[in-house]
Amino acid sequence: MKVYAIYILNKAGGLIYQNDINPGLNKLSANDYLVLAGTIHGVHAIASKLKPTEFEPSSKPFGGEKEIPIESSATFSSSISVRDSTINNDVVNGRWNNPNTNNTGLRSIETDLFNVYVFQSLTGIKFILITSPNPIVHNVASLNLKINKGELNRQFDLAKEIFHNIYVTYSDYVMKDPFYSLEMPIKNNLFDSKIRELAK
Amino acid sequence: MIYSFSIFDRHCNCIYNRRYIHDGPLLTQSKPSSVNLKNSIGDPLGVSITSLPPDNGSGDNFSPLGITTKSKESGSSSAINGPIPGYINKYNDSNASKLLFGIMYSLKNITAKLGDLASLFNTLKSFSTENFRVHFMESATGLKFVLATDNEVDNLQHILKELYTNYYLNHVVYNALSPVEFGTDANEHGKISNSDFINATDSFLTSLSVFK
């Protein structure tokens, strides 16, 4: 999986960082990149309205009692519970879990030419990763009715790994920069080079 | 697991919408009450959810993309059309299918912009959220074939192509009685209600290994 580009969006969907690491994507005008960022931001919000409706298996017996659906009980609390459940793991691994709050929104886009992955932090910052497509999944012979399962999920796990590293780099080199003002474009050479390094 | 199959025409109308209801002992059936239909999108916490009694087909569950749309059914038996449980052409004008079309349309545009190739027709394959994946194919005439599945299913392009070439063409396009343009008027011709097409696509999709 080759990383083509990394974008960072602020809470409002504005493009605050853009790094086209490897060639493979069309060069767009600056305005088009803003449109692109806004579109992904909007689609992410719309996609979270398309909820699946299976609820987690409930231990409660059937009956007339009302229950709050799991999806509705605020994404924030569910992300907290994820963190709580992994604390023991983190103690063992010595590493903190991704606080990914992207629970219901757009997660990935697969096309012939590239894949897009979206990661949202607790504070609403979106990290967008554009990578090369997966040849195993994309070159399926049209007559062969065998359907791959789970390969895209495995590739998403790889992307999650990269997101984790980007997030750590972001925390270290952008958030700890005393001259950085929140929600504004990131202009930091050190951050640039670190991102370039980890995407290689 | 295949949740639903829809076809959109080039005028953004959903001309066919088929939802499948899967049996699953672990899934509880619950449906939003009919009180606040409008409210159910903007304010999910305001919707009261009631579990149906266990004798009422406990295996049924909503297909994805469904919760925001409809009021309570009188019973699961009324929801079943034909041998395969699910809904046929029931949610064509629902918000869910409009939102789905909007997402497809936007993603198609940005994909075409970003792709670094001369031929940029039909490059978008699928998108996914945490809970489901949507597979997409567009024909040269602007028909959009959409399958919603769970996240495990990787690539259904050949299935979508098959649905177009073998089923849509044979049962709808070659059918002299079916209209050329669906969805332009609000009468019964606005949707594909051809039972041959419905039965054939149903048996094709249910025969797939990924259906369950």
Side-chain angles (χ1 to χ4, degrees):
Chain A
M1 192 164 73
K2 192 166 151 192
V3 176
Y4 287 155
I6 291 167
Y7 304 139
I8 300 177
L9 270 55
N10 64 13
K11 265 181 282 197
L15 188 66
I16 57 170
Y17 182 75
Q18 179 192 357
N19 196 342
D20 292 301
I21 293 157
N22 287 309
L25 297 174
N26 242 349
K27 285 274 173 293
L28 301 182
S29 68
N31 197 34
D32 275 349
Y33 280 116
L34 291 177
V35 171
L36 172 82
T39 310
I40 290 180
H41 185 75
V43 167
H44 180 274
I46 296 173
S48 63
K49 297 288 181 202
L50 292 177
K51 283 178 191 155
T53 44
E54 308 101 299
F55 301 129
E56 294 291 318
S58 152
S59 56
K60 284 181 201 157
F62 284 99
E65 92 267 38
K66 313 219 157 159
E67 53 182 10
I68 299 168
I70 288 163
E71 295 94 325
S72 308
S73 57
T75 47
F76 186 73
S77 65
S78 57
S79 65
I80 291 298
S81 66
V82 166
R83 290 169 67 187
D84 287 345
S85 66
T86 52
I87 280 178
N88 281 338
N89 260 341
D90 295 328
V91 171
V92 176
N93 295 341
R95 125 177 226 201
W96 190 247
N97 206 40
N98 262 355
N100 187 358
T101 55
N102 188 2
N103 285 331
T104 52
L106 183 70
R107 192 182 76 161
S108 69
I109 308 167
E110 289 84 28
T111 77
D112 272 346
L113 308 167
F114 53 86
N115 286 356
V116 181
Y117 299 96
V118 181
F119 167 82
Q120 192 179 27
S121 79
L122 265 182
T123 47
I125 307 273
K126 279 191 194 66
F127 295 85
I128 293 169
L129 180 70
I130 305 185
T131 70
S132 57
N134 186 337
I136 304 169
V137 178
H138 291 269
N139 299 334
V140 186
S142 57
L143 288 177
N144 179 8
L145 285 188
K146 185 179 161 293
I147 296 164
N148 285 318
K149 289 189 89 173
E151 188 59 42
L152 288 178
N153 277 348
R154 279 191 283 284
Q155 202 171 11
F156 179 72
D157 288 340
L158 285 179
K160 264 203 303 213
E161 199 59 27
I162 300 177
F163 278 133
H164 181 268
N165 293 332
I166 295 173
Y167 196 33
V168 168
T169 314
Y170 173 80
S171 310
D172 280 348
Y173 291 91
V174 179
M175 285 296 104
K176 291 176 187 172
D177 176 0
F179 300 106
Y180 176 67
S181 49
L182 284 173
E183 307 278 306
M184 294 313 265
I186 299 166
K187 294 202 168 69
N188 187 330
N189 289 334
L190 207 49
F191 180 62
D192 259 357
S193 60
K194 289 287 172 189
I195 289 283
R196 211 166 273 279
E197 218 168 83
L198 70 87
K200 282 284 178 259
Chain B
M1 194 181 286
I2 295 179
Y3 295 133
S4 74
F5 167 49
S6 324
I7 304 174
F8 295 90
D9 74 355
R10 62 204 172 97
H11 308 294
C12 327
N13 296 306
C14 181
I15 60 173
Y16 182 66
N17 182 286
R18 178 74 165 104
R19 291 193 180 183
Y20 296 104
I21 294 176
H22 292 274
D23 290 340
L26 287 177
L27 302 169
T28 59
Q29 180 185 27
S30 37
K31 303 194 169 189
S33 70
S34 54
V35 184
N36 274 330
L37 284 184
K38 285 273 157 54
N39 214 5
S40 60
I41 290 179
D43 183 16
L45 282 170
V47 185
S48 61
I49 301 289
T50 55
S51 296
L52 290 185
D55 58 323
N56 198 0
S58 61
D60 293 355
N61 64 294
F62 278 162
S63 52
L65 329 175
I67 195 175
T68 57
T69 52
K70 281 298 164 186
S71 61
K72 194 171 173 178
E73 293 300 315
S74 54
S76 60
S77 57
S78 72
I80 293 169
N81 296 317
I84 297 147
Y87 306 95
I88 298 169
N89 284 336
K90 187 167 189 295
Y91 294 102
N92 291 37
D93 301 321
S94 68
N95 284 326
S97 50
K98 286 172 191 161
L99 289 177
L100 183 61
F101 183 87
I103 291 179
M104 283 302 172
Y105 189 82
S106 313
L107 290 186
K108 205 185 71 165
N109 278 348
I110 60 171
T111 316
K113 260 188 205 165
L114 266 182
D116 189 17
L117 266 190
S119 146
L120 285 171
F121 183 67
N122 230 351
T123 54
L124 177 65
K125 298 291 173 223
S126 61
F127 77 89
S128 75
T129 73
E130 197 65 30
N131 304 299
F132 58 89
R133 186 182 297 279
V134 175
H135 304 264
F136 173 81
M137 189 200 78
E138 188 175 16
S139 78
T141 46
L143 282 164
K144 295 173 179 66
F145 286 70
V146 177
L147 274 170
T149 68
D150 67 350
N151 256 326
E152 282 295 304
V153 184
D154 279 346
N155 191 336
L156 289 183
Q157 287 306 307
H158 49 303
I159 303 296
L160 288 165
K161 195 141 204 269
E162 185 83 5
L163 283 168
Y164 176 57
T165 54
N166 275 358
Y167 296 94
Y168 184 80
L169 281 185
N170 284 338
H171 292 104
V172 180
V173 176
Y174 296 160
N175 183 348
L177 295 175
S178 104
V180 178
E181 285 280 351
F182 286 94
T184 46
D185 45 3
N187 61 15
E188 73 274 15
H189 297 307
K191 296 162 185 172
I192 299 176
S193 50
N194 179 344
S195 62
D196 275 356
F197 175 77
I198 294 168
N199 291 335
T201 51
D202 272 0
S203 57
F204 172 60
L205 286 175
T206 46
S207 72
L208 297 175
S209 62
V210 291
F211 181 77
K212 277 283 166 217

